[in-house]
């Protein structure tokens, strides 16, 4: 302290007040100026004038008694450290006073000048530290609020990235009359997610469906999904060849991610439904194999059963090759793509839900419409899950084939 600190003593006993004045004079080294009030009311009046560095407070005053005295002063003296000086050696009262915000509780007759001065110094430092911590906490609260607002905006923007309208085939028909119908479910684990999908027309008879899962989740993964969306839009000219399309996305993503300090990658699968040819062409970049549900044969099989070849995850190598697989399509077939957050869910015994259990769940529900199928699958996984919620982002897309003969006849 570079200048004397004003000490307000609220004490009705003149002898005790005089004794405290002497102790501060002898042990305070000129660092304290003592002012005295013998009533709570006069003490509060002096406090209202400001410039008080610390309060020494007796709890038993002519116009106030007990902890109520402290509570009143504490309420009016925000930011000013208060030391209770009482003639009552009562541990319960002492603990309650400190709990309510007193910096210390000293018993009259048991305090020397040096002890009093030390207690005042400590009280001032503790109060200053508490104010700093409160200031840091408020700054942190404001930053968290701003971060939450940023995340909310990012979530809204990410939702805009997702398809709002599906293409129809042929163009201009109602969605329920389309020869190719789409369904999706998108459940980010955090405010923003690392899963992304896009569905778009390539020609008048073919549609592309791209689904990817960026490593991790949260803001970093969400930023990469934004990059992926831009690449998908930019590379549309090569969208008719599934392997070339994934290869072009991989090359561009690799160049971008090489400039980051921490490694990132994304798994993806790209599907082309060709209504004119009645086939599905697909390329896989380390992603879970989509399922083909054939309602005619009442079966459900992963696409890897038609072609096991696939390429590495996106962003790992500059010039990766992604082989193209083919699968026949029939009327009422349903192609289901998903991310690993759907099945990498731990149960009560730490056993994972897994792809085999997911395939069995699909086979038990072959006749369901896509929307109902997706909802039941999500409910089934949640029932199995120990936390009863998804810890990773979940994305499901469905492409249901209509009457191909009628479509080809109409076009």
């Amino acid at each position: 302290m570079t200048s004397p600190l004003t000490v307000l003593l609220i004490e009705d006993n003149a002898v005790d007040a005089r004794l405290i004045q002497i102790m501060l004079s002898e042990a305070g080294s000129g660092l304290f100026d003592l002012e005295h009030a013998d009533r709570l009311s006069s003490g509060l009046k002096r406090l209202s004038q400001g410039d008080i560095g610390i309060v020494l407070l007796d709890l038993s005053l002519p116009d106030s008694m007990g902890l109520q005295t402290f509570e009143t002063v504490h309420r009016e003296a925000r930011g000013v450290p208060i030391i209770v000086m009482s003639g009552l050696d009562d541990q319960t009262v002492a603990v309650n006073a400190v709990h309510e915000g007193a910096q210390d509780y000293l018993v009259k007759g048991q305090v020397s000048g040096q002890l009093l001065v030390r207690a005042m110094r400590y009280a001032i430092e503790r109060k200053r530290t508490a104010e700093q911590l409160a200031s840091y906490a408020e700054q942190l609260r404001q930053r968290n609020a701003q971060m939450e607002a940023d995340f909310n905006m990012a979530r809204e923007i990410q939702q805009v990235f997702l398809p709002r309208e599906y293409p129809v085939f042929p163009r201009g028909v109602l969605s329920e009359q389309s020869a190719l119908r789409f369904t999706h479910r998108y459940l980010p684990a955090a405010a923003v997610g690392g899963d992304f999908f896009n569905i778009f027309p390539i020609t008048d008879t073919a549609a592309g469906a791209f689904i990817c899962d960026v490593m991790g989740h949260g803001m970093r993964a969400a930023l990469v999904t934004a990059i992926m969306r831009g690449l998908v839009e930019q590379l549309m000219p090569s969208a008719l060849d599934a392997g070339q399309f994934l290869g072009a996305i991989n090359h561009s993503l690799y160049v971008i991610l090489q400039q980051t300090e921490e490694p990132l990658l994304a798994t993806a699968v790209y599907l082309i439904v060709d209504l004119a040819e009645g086939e599905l062409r697909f390329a896989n970049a380390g992603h879970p194999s989509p399922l083909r549900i054939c309602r005619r044969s009442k079966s459900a099989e992963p696409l890897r059963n038609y072609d096991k070849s696939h390429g590495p995850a996106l962003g790992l190598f500059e010039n990766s090759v992604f082989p193209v697989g083919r699968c026949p399509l029939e009327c009422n077939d349903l192609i289901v793509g998903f991310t690993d957050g759907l099945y990498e869910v731990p149960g009560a015994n730490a056993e994972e839900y897994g792809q085999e259990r997911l395939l069995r769940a699909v086979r038990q529900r072959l006749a369901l419409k896509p929307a109902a199928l997706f909802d039941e699958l999500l409910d089934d996984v949640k029932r199995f899950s120990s936390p009863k919620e998804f810890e990773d982002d979940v994305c499901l897309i469905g492409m249901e084939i209509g009457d191909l003969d009628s479509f080809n006849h109409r076009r």
Side-chain angles (χ1 to χ4, degrees):
M1 295 177 287
T2 58
S3 59
L5 189 74
T6 302
V7 180
L8 176 60
L9 172 63
I10 306 178
E11 168 64 69
D12 66 320
N13 189 304
V15 175
D16 288 340
R18 177 57 180 163
L19 181 59
I20 292 172
Q21 183 180 32
I22 294 172
M23 286 192 292
L24 289 182
S25 177
E26 293 179 350
S29 303
L31 297 177
F32 303 100
D33 283 340
L34 184 68
E35 296 189 18
H36 177 218
D38 61 359
R39 296 289 190 276
L40 176 61
S41 56
S42 57
L44 295 177
K45 182 178 179 180
R46 176 61 186 90
L47 273 171
S48 67
Q49 297 171 9
D51 195 31
I52 298 297
I54 188 169
V55 174
L56 303 179
L57 176 65
D58 183 13
L59 296 182
S60 300
L61 300 170
D63 52 350
S64 182
M65 294 291 292
L67 281 176
Q68 181 64 42
T69 306
F70 170 78
E71 292 169 359
T72 302
V73 175
H74 187 247
R75 186 169 54 249
E76 299 297 326
R78 293 295 182 185
V80 180
I82 303 171
I83 294 178
V84 173
M85 297 195 68
S86 174
L88 182 64
D89 188 1
D90 188 317
Q91 290 297 318
T92 301
V93 175
V95 169
N96 289 337
V98 172
H99 182 266
E100 292 298 323
Q103 293 298 320
D104 209 337
Y105 185 98
L106 303 178
V107 179
K108 297 175 186 178
Q110 299 180 13
V111 181
S112 66
Q114 290 184 346
L115 177 60
L116 177 59
V117 169
R118 185 167 65 239
M120 292 168 64
R121 284 179 176 272
Y122 290 172
I124 292 167
E125 289 304 316
R126 282 196 297 269
K127 190 66 176 181
R128 184 177 296 135
T129 300
E131 289 176 349
Q132 289 176 345
L133 291 175
S135 175
Y136 295 153
E138 176 59 20
Q139 293 176 30
L140 182 60
R141 187 197 65 77
Q142 292 178 3
R143 290 177 182 176
N144 286 342
Q146 182 61 53
M147 187 178 297
E148 183 177 358
D150 291 343
F151 268 109
N152 289 337
M153 178 173 289
R155 180 178 65 246
E156 293 173 2
I157 293 173
Q158 191 172 53
Q159 292 293 332
V160 171
F161 286 170
L162 302 178
R164 296 200 170 194
E165 293 183 358
Y166 299 128
V168 293
F169 298 87
R171 293 181 181 179
V173 301
L174 298 176
S175 59
E176 58 268 20
Q177 298 172 338
S178 176
L180 184 57
R181 298 177 292 273
F182 304 93
T183 307
H184 83 269
R185 295 291 184 270
Y186 180 78
L187 306 173
V192 290
D195 289 359
F196 170 72
F197 78 97
N198 200 357
I199 296 171
F200 46 88
I202 306 174
T203 68
D204 288 342
T205 61
F210 176 82
I211 182 171
C212 76
D213 181 0
V214 178
M215 181 179 70
H217 50 265
M219 188 61 79
R220 275 200 319 164
L223 289 173
V224 177
T225 64
I227 294 173
M228 299 289 279
R229 179 182 185 274
L231 293 177
V232 169
E233 296 289 339
Q234 177 185 341
L235 299 171
M236 283 291 186
S238 62
L240 260 176
D241 187 307
Q244 288 185 12
F245 188 65
L246 279 190
I249 291 176
N250 172 74
H251 177 79
S252 299
L253 185 64
Y254 175 85
V255 172
I256 294 171
L257 295 184
Q258 284 303 296
Q259 303 177 50
T260 62
E261 294 183 0
E262 296 187 27
L264 279 171
L265 57 87
T267 66
V269 64
Y270 177 52
L271 309 163
I272 300 174
V273 175
D274 192 328
L275 297 173
E277 298 294 330
E279 75 170 0
L280 175 73
R281 298 186 293 276
F282 57 91
N284 194 311
H287 197 80
S289 180
L291 305 177
R292 179 203 177 193
I293 297 175
C294 181
R295 294 198 173 101
R296 179 190 57 80
S297 62
K298 298 181 180 179
S299 64
E301 300 294 338
L303 293 184
R304 64 173 176 269
N305 288 4
Y306 297 90
D307 193 328
K308 296 182 182 297
S309 57
H310 61 83
L314 302 177
L316 284 179
F317 310 105
E318 185 174 5
N319 297 305
S320 296
V321 176
F322 299 92
V324 177
R326 284 175 165 80
C327 168
L329 292 176
E330 300 179 7
C331 178
N332 293 325
D333 277 3
L334 175 64
I335 305 299
V336 178
F338 48 88
T339 56
D340 58 16
L342 176 63
Y343 61 83
E344 289 186 348
V345 175
N349 58 354
E351 179 187 4
E352 187 178 85
Y353 187 84
Q355 294 190 63
E356 290 302 318
R357 188 178 274 105
L358 176 64
L359 184 57
R360 289 198 300 270
V362 170
R363 286 171 175 167
Q364 294 168 0
R365 299 168 172 84
L366 295 177
L368 292 180
K369 290 294 184 182
L373 172 63
F374 285 3
D375 291 339
E376 288 204 13
L377 288 177
L378 292 170
D379 288 341
D380 190 61
V381 176
K382 287 181 180 178
R383 284 193 296 270
F384 175 87
S385 169
S386 177
K388 302 303 178 186
E389 60 183 15
F390 292 101
E391 297 179 344
D392 194 7
D393 306 320
V394 175
C395 183
L396 275 161
I397 61 171
M399 298 183 289
E400 188 175 35
I401 313 301
D403 189 338
L404 293 179
D405 292 336
S406 175
F407 171 75
N408 288 320
H409 177 74
R410 280 185 291 174
R411 72 184 183 87

